[in-house]
Amino acid sequence: MTDTHDTYWNHNVHYHPVVLDAVPDGCRSALDVGCGDGLLAAGLATRAESVTGVDRSPEMIRHARKRDVPRNVTFLEGDFLDGVFLAEGGYDFVSAVAVVHHVPFDDAIGRLTGLVAPGGRLVVVGMAHDRGLLDRVIGGCAVAGAGALRVRGRRTGPGPSGMPVENPIMNWGEVRRATAHLLPGRRYRRRLLWRYTLVWDKPGDAREDGP
C-alpha cells in the first residue's frame, strides 16, 4: 500500500509532535481516539508496542486502513463512548485530537479517563471559542502566526474528504474550569491556532503485577 496523506498540514496535524513527545517511555499500548485517516496512529507506532486507532466514521476508517502502517497498528470503526467497545483501563496512553468538542464534554472526558490504565497518560488537543476582547486578541495573534507555522513542502488542508467537522460550543474559560474540576492535576495550556492541550496522568502504577 502507498500512503497518500502524509504530506498535508493543518492546525490539528501541527500538534501531533506535542502528542508524540508526551508518550511515556516503555509504552505498551496506545489508543488514538478519533483517529481520522490514521496519520497520528502511524506516528504512535514508533513510540508504543501496539496502537489502536478508533473512529466512528466509516469513511475515515477506510482511509486509515489504506495507510501504509506498521503491523502493530489496528484500526477499528466505532464510537469510543460505547462502554463495551474498548477495554476499560486498557491503554497506557490515550490521545484525542479535535475530538471532545464533537460530543458532550463531561461524557468525553469521563470515558477517556476510564480508558487510561492506572499510571497511564491522557493527552487531549482540543478546541474552544472566543469570548471577550482578550480571546479575540489572542485569536488575532493566531491568525498572524499561522502562516509562519506551516511546514514548508506540505499542502495545507483539512485532510481527506469526508472528515467530520464540528464547531466548539465551550469557550476557553469554560474548558479551563471544567478540566480543572474533572482532571485534578492536569496540565492545561492554551496554544496558537485555536487549540489547547491538556496532559493528565492517571494515579497508580501501570506496571504493577499484583491486584
Side-chain angles (χ1 to χ4, degrees), residues 63-106:
H63 281 296
R65 287 174 176 164
K66 292 178 182 178
R67 182 177 291 281
D68 187 8
V69 296
R71 291 187 175 185
N72 63 334
V73 181
T74 301
F75 294 109
L76 302 176
E77 179 191 334
D79 190 339
F80 79 100
L81 291 177
D82 185 341
V84 298
F85 180 63
L86 298 166
E88 186 79 4
Y91 305 93
D92 296 329
F93 183 82
V94 176
S95 59
V97 177
V99 170
V100 298
H101 68 284
H102 285 259
V103 295
F105 189 83
D106 288 14

mmCIF file of all heavy atoms in Angstrom, residues 63-106:
data_model
loop_
_atom_site.group_PDB
_atom_site.id
_atom_site.type_symbol
_atom_site.label_atom_id
_atom_site.label_comp_id
_atom_site.label_asym_id
_atom_site.label_seq_id
_atom_site.Cartn_x
_atom_site.Cartn_y
_atom_site.Cartn_z
ATOM 1 N N HIS A 63 -10.041 5.271 4.938
ATOM 2 C CA HIS A 63 -8.796 5.982 4.641
ATOM 3 C C HIS A 63 -7.645 5.420 5.470
ATOM 4 O O HIS A 63 -6.540 5.200 4.970
ATOM 5 C CB HIS A 63 -8.947 7.477 4.941
ATOM 6 C CG HIS A 63 -9.666 8.256 3.890
ATOM 7 N ND1 HIS A 63 -9.173 8.407 2.603
ATOM 8 C CD2 HIS A 63 -10.833 8.961 3.923
ATOM 9 C CE1 HIS A 63 -10.002 9.159 1.903
ATOM 10 N NE2 HIS A 63 -11.017 9.507 2.675
ATOM 11 N N ALA A 64 -7.906 5.214 6.761
ATOM 12 C CA ALA A 64 -6.854 4.761 7.664
ATOM 13 C C ALA A 64 -6.330 3.381 7.248
ATOM 14 O O ALA A 64 -5.116 3.127 7.290
ATOM 15 C CB ALA A 64 -7.382 4.719 9.096
ATOM 16 N N ARG A 65 -7.213 2.512 6.853
ATOM 17 C CA ARG A 65 -6.802 1.150 6.510
ATOM 18 C C ARG A 65 -6.061 1.079 5.180
ATOM 19 O O ARG A 65 -5.425 0.062 4.886
ATOM 20 C CB ARG A 65 -8.024 0.227 6.492
ATOM 21 C CG ARG A 65 -8.532 -0.063 7.906
ATOM 22 C CD ARG A 65 -9.814 -0.848 7.921
ATOM 23 N NE ARG A 65 -10.198 -1.183 9.300
ATOM 24 C CZ ARG A 65 -11.417 -1.603 9.665
ATOM 25 N NH1 ARG A 65 -12.376 -1.727 8.745
ATOM 26 N NH2 ARG A 65 -11.668 -1.885 10.932
ATOM 27 N N LYS A 66 -6.119 2.145 4.406
ATOM 28 C CA LYS A 66 -5.318 2.224 3.181
ATOM 29 C C LYS A 66 -3.906 2.736 3.455
ATOM 30 O O LYS A 66 -3.051 2.667 2.576
ATOM 31 C CB LYS A 66 -6.002 3.147 2.166
ATOM 32 C CG LYS A 66 -7.300 2.599 1.606
ATOM 33 C CD LYS A 66 -7.929 3.598 0.646
ATOM 34 C CE LYS A 66 -9.261 3.088 0.098
ATOM 35 N NZ LYS A 66 -9.894 4.091 -0.804
ATOM 36 N N ARG A 67 -3.697 3.241 4.661
ATOM 37 C CA ARG A 67 -2.405 3.820 5.003
ATOM 38 C C ARG A 67 -1.370 2.718 5.205
ATOM 39 O O ARG A 67 -1.653 1.651 5.741
ATOM 40 C CB ARG A 67 -2.540 4.667 6.269
ATOM 41 C CG ARG A 67 -1.263 5.346 6.694
ATOM 42 C CD ARG A 67 -1.502 6.229 7.915
ATOM 43 N NE ARG A 67 -2.313 7.382 7.557
ATOM 44 C CZ ARG A 67 -1.855 8.461 6.942
ATOM 45 N NH1 ARG A 67 -0.580 8.527 6.591
ATOM 46 N NH2 ARG A 67 -2.656 9.473 6.662
ATOM 47 N N ASP A 68 -0.158 3.000 4.790
ATOM 48 C CA ASP A 68 0.948 2.060 4.981
ATOM 49 C C ASP A 68 1.477 2.228 6.403
ATOM 50 O O ASP A 68 2.219 3.168 6.691
ATOM 51 C CB ASP A 68 2.050 2.341 3.949
ATOM 52 C CG ASP A 68 3.150 1.298 3.970
ATOM 53 O OD1 ASP A 68 2.980 0.283 4.679
ATOM 54 O OD2 ASP A 68 4.169 1.490 3.294
ATOM 55 N N VAL A 69 1.076 1.340 7.302
ATOM 56 C CA VAL A 69 1.447 1.449 8.707
ATOM 57 C C VAL A 69 2.124 0.163 9.167
ATOM 58 O O VAL A 69 1.960 -0.896 8.561
ATOM 59 C CB VAL A 69 0.214 1.722 9.595
ATOM 60 C CG1 VAL A 69 -0.401 3.071 9.266
ATOM 61 C CG2 VAL A 69 -0.816 0.610 9.456
ATOM 62 N N PRO A 70 2.884 0.215 10.248
ATOM 63 C CA PRO A 70 3.494 -0.994 10.798
ATOM 64 C C PRO A 70 2.431 -1.992 11.269
ATOM 65 O O PRO A 70 1.270 -1.646 11.476
ATOM 66 C CB PRO A 70 4.326 -0.466 11.976
ATOM 67 C CG PRO A 70 4.554 0.976 11.679
ATOM 68 C CD PRO A 70 3.327 1.436 10.951
ATOM 69 N N ARG A 71 2.847 -3.218 11.482
ATOM 70 C CA ARG A 71 1.912 -4.269 11.871
ATOM 71 C C ARG A 71 1.348 -4.090 13.276
ATOM 72 O O ARG A 71 0.369 -4.765 13.634
ATOM 73 C CB ARG A 71 2.601 -5.631 11.776
ATOM 74 C CG ARG A 71 2.893 -6.058 10.335
ATOM 75 C CD ARG A 71 3.402 -7.480 10.304
ATOM 76 N NE ARG A 71 3.588 -7.952 8.939
ATOM 77 C CZ ARG A 71 3.941 -9.194 8.621
ATOM 78 N NH1 ARG A 71 4.170 -10.072 9.593
ATOM 79 N NH2 ARG A 71 4.077 -9.538 7.360
ATOM 80 N N ASN A 72 1.961 -3.237 14.061
ATOM 81 C CA ASN A 72 1.465 -3.061 15.427
ATOM 82 C C ASN A 72 0.325 -2.048 15.523
ATOM 83 O O ASN A 72 -0.076 -1.660 16.616
ATOM 84 C CB ASN A 72 2.603 -2.653 16.371
ATOM 85 C CG ASN A 72 3.219 -1.304 16.019
ATOM 86 O OD1 ASN A 72 3.171 -0.868 14.871
ATOM 87 N ND2 ASN A 72 3.823 -0.652 17.003
ATOM 88 N N VAL A 73 -0.223 -1.631 14.379
ATOM 89 C CA VAL A 73 -1.333 -0.676 14.346
ATOM 90 C C VAL A 73 -2.602 -1.363 13.872
ATOM 91 O O VAL A 73 -2.603 -2.064 12.858
ATOM 92 C CB VAL A 73 -1.025 0.520 13.424
ATOM 93 C CG1 VAL A 73 -2.189 1.506 13.426
ATOM 94 C CG2 VAL A 73 0.254 1.220 13.852
ATOM 95 N N THR A 74 -3.703 -1.152 14.611
ATOM 96 C CA THR A 74 -5.014 -1.687 14.261
ATOM 97 C C THR A 74 -6.022 -0.542 14.231
ATOM 98 O O THR A 74 -6.006 0.319 15.119
ATOM 99 C CB THR A 74 -5.484 -2.730 15.293
ATOM 100 O OG1 THR A 74 -4.534 -3.793 15.355
ATOM 101 C CG2 THR A 74 -6.851 -3.297 14.908
ATOM 102 N N PHE A 75 -6.874 -0.534 13.229
ATOM 103 C CA PHE A 75 -7.916 0.484 13.129
ATOM 104 C C PHE A 75 -9.288 -0.157 13.333
ATOM 105 O O PHE A 75 -9.585 -1.198 12.731
ATOM 106 C CB PHE A 75 -7.866 1.189 11.771
ATOM 107 C CG PHE A 75 -6.625 2.006 11.565
ATOM 108 C CD1 PHE A 75 -5.644 1.614 10.673
ATOM 109 C CD2 PHE A 75 -6.429 3.173 12.293
ATOM 110 C CE1 PHE A 75 -4.496 2.363 10.486
ATOM 111 C CE2 PHE A 75 -5.275 3.937 12.122
ATOM 112 C CZ PHE A 75 -4.310 3.525 11.216
ATOM 113 N N LEU A 76 -10.101 0.488 14.182
ATOM 114 C CA LEU A 76 -11.430 -0.011 14.500
ATOM 115 C C LEU A 76 -12.470 1.062 14.218
ATOM 116 O O LEU A 76 -12.255 2.239 14.530
ATOM 117 C CB LEU A 76 -11.519 -0.407 15.973
ATOM 118 C CG LEU A 76 -10.545 -1.473 16.486
ATOM 119 C CD1 LEU A 76 -10.716 -1.650 17.989
ATOM 120 C CD2 LEU A 76 -10.756 -2.793 15.757
ATOM 121 N N GLU A 77 -13.592 0.653 13.662
ATOM 122 C CA GLU A 77 -14.711 1.562 13.457
ATOM 123 C C GLU A 77 -15.670 1.446 14.622
ATOM 124 O O GLU A 77 -16.138 0.355 14.954
ATOM 125 C CB GLU A 77 -15.445 1.228 12.151
ATOM 126 C CG GLU A 77 -16.650 2.110 11.878
ATOM 127 C CD GLU A 77 -17.496 1.597 10.732
ATOM 128 O OE1 GLU A 77 -16.966 0.890 9.850
ATOM 129 O OE2 GLU A 77 -18.717 1.891 10.726
ATOM 130 N N GLY A 78 -15.943 2.565 15.263
ATOM 131 C CA GLY A 78 -16.879 2.542 16.375
ATOM 132 C C GLY A 78 -16.813 3.822 17.181
ATOM 133 O O GLY A 78 -15.947 4.674 16.971
ATOM 134 N N ASP A 79 -17.746 3.951 18.112
ATOM 135 C CA ASP A 79 -17.867 5.134 18.962
ATOM 136 C C ASP A 79 -17.144 4.867 20.280
ATOM 137 O O ASP A 79 -17.487 3.927 21.006
ATOM 138 C CB ASP A 79 -19.341 5.427 19.218
ATOM 139 C CG ASP A 79 -19.576 6.764 19.892
ATOM 140 O OD1 ASP A 79 -18.627 7.296 20.516
ATOM 141 O OD2 ASP A 79 -20.708 7.271 19.819
ATOM 142 N N PHE A 80 -16.163 5.713 20.609
ATOM 143 C CA PHE A 80 -15.394 5.485 21.829
ATOM 144 C C PHE A 80 -16.241 5.609 23.089
ATOM 145 O O PHE A 80 -15.865 5.110 24.157
ATOM 146 C CB PHE A 80 -14.196 6.448 21.902
ATOM 147 C CG PHE A 80 -14.520 7.844 22.343
ATOM 148 C CD1 PHE A 80 -14.285 8.252 23.654
ATOM 149 C CD2 PHE A 80 -15.041 8.779 21.450
ATOM 150 C CE1 PHE A 80 -14.558 9.538 24.071
ATOM 151 C CE2 PHE A 80 -15.312 10.069 21.856
ATOM 152 C CZ PHE A 80 -15.077 10.456 23.165
ATOM 153 N N LEU A 81 -17.407 6.259 22.990
ATOM 154 C CA LEU A 81 -18.295 6.385 24.141
ATOM 155 C C LEU A 81 -19.042 5.096 24.450
ATOM 156 O O LEU A 81 -19.634 4.963 25.523
ATOM 157 C CB LEU A 81 -19.301 7.520 23.913
ATOM 158 C CG LEU A 81 -18.735 8.938 23.899
ATOM 159 C CD1 LEU A 81 -19.833 9.940 23.583
ATOM 160 C CD2 LEU A 81 -18.056 9.281 25.213
ATOM 161 N N ASP A 82 -19.016 4.141 23.537
ATOM 162 C CA ASP A 82 -19.647 2.844 23.760
ATOM 163 C C ASP A 82 -18.880 2.112 24.859
ATOM 164 O O ASP A 82 -17.714 1.767 24.697
ATOM 165 C CB ASP A 82 -19.626 2.034 22.460
ATOM 166 C CG ASP A 82 -20.367 0.714 22.581
ATOM 167 O OD1 ASP A 82 -20.589 0.249 23.711
ATOM 168 O OD2 ASP A 82 -20.714 0.140 21.536
ATOM 169 N N GLY A 83 -19.540 1.859 25.957
ATOM 170 C CA GLY A 83 -18.864 1.301 27.115
ATOM 171 C C GLY A 83 -18.343 -0.105 26.955
ATOM 172 O O GLY A 83 -17.544 -0.562 27.777
ATOM 173 N N VAL A 84 -18.767 -0.821 25.911
ATOM 174 C CA VAL A 84 -18.301 -2.207 25.730
ATOM 175 C C VAL A 84 -17.391 -2.336 24.520
ATOM 176 O O VAL A 84 -16.912 -3.431 24.219
ATOM 177 C CB VAL A 84 -19.490 -3.181 25.578
ATOM 178 C CG1 VAL A 84 -20.354 -3.167 26.830
ATOM 179 C CG2 VAL A 84 -20.335 -2.843 24.344
ATOM 180 N N PHE A 85 -17.124 -1.231 23.855
ATOM 181 C CA PHE A 85 -16.386 -1.293 22.594
ATOM 182 C C PHE A 85 -14.879 -1.353 22.808
ATOM 183 O O PHE A 85 -14.158 -2.066 22.117
ATOM 184 C CB PHE A 85 -16.760 -0.083 21.735
ATOM 185 C CG PHE A 85 -16.072 -0.029 20.410
ATOM 186 C CD1 PHE A 85 -16.288 -1.022 19.463
ATOM 187 C CD2 PHE A 85 -15.202 1.001 20.101
ATOM 188 C CE1 PHE A 85 -15.656 -0.980 18.235
ATOM 189 C CE2 PHE A 85 -14.574 1.049 18.881
ATOM 190 C CZ PHE A 85 -14.797 0.057 17.949
ATOM 191 N N LEU A 86 -14.373 -0.615 23.786
ATOM 192 C CA LEU A 86 -12.941 -0.553 24.072
ATOM 193 C C LEU A 86 -12.698 -0.974 25.515
ATOM 194 O O LEU A 86 -13.554 -0.784 26.385
ATOM 195 C CB LEU A 86 -12.412 0.866 23.843
ATOM 196 C CG LEU A 86 -12.520 1.399 22.414
ATOM 197 C CD1 LEU A 86 -12.279 2.904 22.394
ATOM 198 C CD2 LEU A 86 -11.548 0.689 21.485
ATOM 199 N N ALA A 87 -11.516 -1.510 25.768
ATOM 200 C CA ALA A 87 -11.212 -2.059 27.085
ATOM 201 C C ALA A 87 -11.059 -0.963 28.133
ATOM 202 O O ALA A 87 -10.224 -0.065 27.986
ATOM 203 C CB ALA A 87 -9.938 -2.897 27.012
ATOM 204 N N GLU A 88 -11.853 -1.035 29.175
ATOM 205 C CA GLU A 88 -11.736 -0.097 30.278
ATOM 206 C C GLU A 88 -10.367 -0.250 30.930
ATOM 207 O O GLU A 88 -9.942 -1.355 31.285
ATOM 208 C CB GLU A 88 -12.843 -0.359 31.305
ATOM 209 C CG GLU A 88 -12.920 0.631 32.436
ATOM 210 C CD GLU A 88 -13.615 1.928 32.041
ATOM 211 O OE1 GLU A 88 -14.113 2.026 30.899
ATOM 212 O OE2 GLU A 88 -13.658 2.849 32.888
ATOM 213 N N GLY A 89 -9.655 0.865 31.089
ATOM 214 C CA GLY A 89 -8.336 0.832 31.697
ATOM 215 C C GLY A 89 -7.323 0.027 30.907
ATOM 216 O O GLY A 89 -6.349 -0.477 31.466
ATOM 217 N N GLY A 90 -7.512 -0.045 29.596
ATOM 218 C CA GLY A 90 -6.696 -0.947 28.793
ATOM 219 C C GLY A 90 -5.527 -0.334 28.062
ATOM 220 O O GLY A 90 -4.821 -1.051 27.342
ATOM 221 N N TYR A 91 -5.280 0.971 28.254
ATOM 222 C CA TYR A 91 -4.280 1.634 27.415
ATOM 223 C C TYR A 91 -3.342 2.498 28.268
ATOM 224 O O TYR A 91 -3.780 3.325 29.065
ATOM 225 C CB TYR A 91 -4.971 2.488 26.356
ATOM 226 C CG TYR A 91 -5.943 1.687 25.530
ATOM 227 C CD1 TYR A 91 -7.291 1.617 25.889
ATOM 228 C CD2 TYR A 91 -5.515 0.954 24.427
ATOM 229 C CE1 TYR A 91 -8.186 0.855 25.155
ATOM 230 C CE2 TYR A 91 -6.407 0.182 23.692
ATOM 231 C CZ TYR A 91 -7.732 0.133 24.061
ATOM 232 O OH TYR A 91 -8.618 -0.625 23.334
ATOM 233 N N ASP A 92 -2.051 2.307 28.047
ATOM 234 C CA ASP A 92 -1.059 3.102 28.766
ATOM 235 C C ASP A 92 -1.055 4.560 28.318
ATOM 236 O O ASP A 92 -0.642 5.444 29.074
ATOM 237 C CB ASP A 92 0.350 2.535 28.533
ATOM 238 C CG ASP A 92 0.511 1.141 29.101
ATOM 239 O OD1 ASP A 92 -0.152 0.828 30.115
ATOM 240 O OD2 ASP A 92 1.293 0.354 28.536
ATOM 241 N N PHE A 93 -1.497 4.796 27.092
ATOM 242 C CA PHE A 93 -1.501 6.150 26.540
ATOM 243 C C PHE A 93 -2.748 6.316 25.684
ATOM 244 O O PHE A 93 -3.050 5.469 24.840
ATOM 245 C CB PHE A 93 -0.258 6.382 25.684
ATOM 246 C CG PHE A 93 -0.149 7.775 25.128
ATOM 247 C CD1 PHE A 93 0.348 8.816 25.896
ATOM 248 C CD2 PHE A 93 -0.545 8.056 23.825
ATOM 249 C CE1 PHE A 93 0.449 10.106 25.388
ATOM 250 C CE2 PHE A 93 -0.449 9.335 23.308
ATOM 251 C CZ PHE A 93 0.044 10.357 24.087
ATOM 252 N N VAL A 94 -3.475 7.395 25.915
ATOM 253 C CA VAL A 94 -4.680 7.702 25.139
ATOM 254 C C VAL A 94 -4.564 9.122 24.613
ATOM 255 O O VAL A 94 -4.267 10.054 25.379
ATOM 256 C CB VAL A 94 -5.958 7.556 25.988
ATOM 257 C CG1 VAL A 94 -7.194 7.976 25.179
ATOM 258 C CG2 VAL A 94 -6.126 6.118 26.485
ATOM 259 N N SER A 95 -4.778 9.293 23.325
ATOM 260 C CA SER A 95 -4.772 10.623 22.712
ATOM 261 C C SER A 95 -6.118 10.899 22.069
ATOM 262 O O SER A 95 -6.800 9.983 21.594
ATOM 263 C CB SER A 95 -3.650 10.740 21.673
ATOM 264 O OG SER A 95 -3.797 9.759 20.657
ATOM 265 N N ALA A 96 -6.481 12.178 22.062
ATOM 266 C CA ALA A 96 -7.719 12.609 21.412
ATOM 267 C C ALA A 96 -7.471 14.001 20.857
ATOM 268 O O ALA A 96 -7.357 14.966 21.617
ATOM 269 C CB ALA A 96 -8.879 12.618 22.403
ATOM 270 N N VAL A 97 -7.377 14.106 19.550
ATOM 271 C CA VAL A 97 -7.086 15.377 18.885
ATOM 272 C C VAL A 97 -8.350 15.871 18.183
ATOM 273 O O VAL A 97 -8.882 15.188 17.300
ATOM 274 C CB VAL A 97 -5.934 15.223 17.869
ATOM 275 C CG1 VAL A 97 -5.696 16.532 17.125
ATOM 276 C CG2 VAL A 97 -4.656 14.774 18.575
ATOM 277 N N ALA A 98 -8.825 17.050 18.594
ATOM 278 C CA ALA A 98 -10.025 17.656 18.000
ATOM 279 C C ALA A 98 -11.204 16.696 18.041
ATOM 280 O O ALA A 98 -11.909 16.504 17.050
ATOM 281 C CB ALA A 98 -9.752 18.121 16.570
ATOM 282 N N VAL A 99 -11.412 16.083 19.208
ATOM 283 C CA VAL A 99 -12.455 15.075 19.380
ATOM 284 C C VAL A 99 -13.516 15.506 20.386
ATOM 285 O O VAL A 99 -14.715 15.384 20.123
ATOM 286 C CB VAL A 99 -11.836 13.733 19.837
ATOM 287 C CG1 VAL A 99 -12.920 12.732 20.269
ATOM 288 C CG2 VAL A 99 -10.989 13.126 18.729
ATOM 289 N N VAL A 100 -13.095 16.016 21.553
ATOM 290 C CA VAL A 100 -14.036 16.141 22.659
ATOM 291 C C VAL A 100 -15.138 17.157 22.392
ATOM 292 O O VAL A 100 -16.212 17.070 23.003
ATOM 293 C CB VAL A 100 -13.302 16.478 23.978
ATOM 294 C CG1 VAL A 100 -12.346 15.369 24.368
ATOM 295 C CG2 VAL A 100 -12.565 17.803 23.888
ATOM 296 N N HIS A 101 -14.928 18.107 21.485
ATOM 297 C CA HIS A 101 -15.994 19.074 21.207
ATOM 298 C C HIS A 101 -17.079 18.506 20.294
ATOM 299 O O HIS A 101 -18.085 19.168 20.043
ATOM 300 C CB HIS A 101 -15.411 20.356 20.596
ATOM 301 C CG HIS A 101 -14.850 20.185 19.222
ATOM 302 N ND1 HIS A 101 -13.637 19.579 18.991
ATOM 303 C CD2 HIS A 101 -15.340 20.529 18.007
ATOM 304 C CE1 HIS A 101 -13.397 19.563 17.695
ATOM 305 N NE2 HIS A 101 -14.411 20.142 17.064
ATOM 306 N N HIS A 102 -16.894 17.275 19.825
ATOM 307 C CA HIS A 102 -17.912 16.631 18.989
ATOM 308 C C HIS A 102 -19.005 15.956 19.828
ATOM 309 O O HIS A 102 -20.040 15.565 19.283
ATOM 310 C CB HIS A 102 -17.266 15.577 18.085
ATOM 311 C CG HIS A 102 -16.512 16.140 16.933
ATOM 312 N ND1 HIS A 102 -17.031 16.192 15.646
ATOM 313 C CD2 HIS A 102 -15.275 16.683 16.847
ATOM 314 C CE1 HIS A 102 -16.136 16.740 14.835
ATOM 315 N NE2 HIS A 102 -15.072 17.044 15.536
ATOM 316 N N VAL A 103 -18.763 15.791 21.114
ATOM 317 C CA VAL A 103 -19.692 15.073 21.996
ATOM 318 C C VAL A 103 -19.812 15.842 23.307
ATOM 319 O O VAL A 103 -19.037 16.769 23.560
ATOM 320 C CB VAL A 103 -19.188 13.630 22.257
ATOM 321 C CG1 VAL A 103 -19.198 12.811 20.969
ATOM 322 C CG2 VAL A 103 -17.787 13.639 22.864
ATOM 323 N N PRO A 104 -20.778 15.486 24.172
ATOM 324 C CA PRO A 104 -20.867 16.166 25.472
ATOM 325 C C PRO A 104 -19.540 16.090 26.227
ATOM 326 O O PRO A 104 -18.950 15.020 26.379
ATOM 327 C CB PRO A 104 -21.975 15.392 26.190
ATOM 328 C CG PRO A 104 -22.850 14.892 25.077
ATOM 329 C CD PRO A 104 -21.904 14.554 23.965
ATOM 330 N N PHE A 105 -19.069 17.241 26.698
ATOM 331 C CA PHE A 105 -17.713 17.352 27.229
ATOM 332 C C PHE A 105 -17.471 16.421 28.418
ATOM 333 O O PHE A 105 -16.476 15.689 28.461
ATOM 334 C CB PHE A 105 -17.433 18.802 27.623
ATOM 335 C CG PHE A 105 -15.998 19.072 27.977
ATOM 336 C CD1 PHE A 105 -15.062 19.315 26.990
ATOM 337 C CD2 PHE A 105 -15.589 19.089 29.307
ATOM 338 C CE1 PHE A 105 -13.736 19.564 27.302
ATOM 339 C CE2 PHE A 105 -14.265 19.345 29.631
ATOM 340 C CZ PHE A 105 -13.334 19.577 28.627
ATOM 341 N N ASP A 106 -18.373 16.458 29.391
ATOM 342 C CA ASP A 106 -18.178 15.619 30.577
ATOM 343 C C ASP A 106 -18.157 14.144 30.215
ATOM 344 O O ASP A 106 -17.372 13.361 30.774
ATOM 345 C CB ASP A 106 -19.270 15.890 31.604
ATOM 346 C CG ASP A 106 -19.120 17.237 32.298
ATOM 347 O OD1 ASP A 106 -18.335 18.076 31.798
ATOM 348 O OD2 ASP A 106 -19.773 17.461 33.329
#
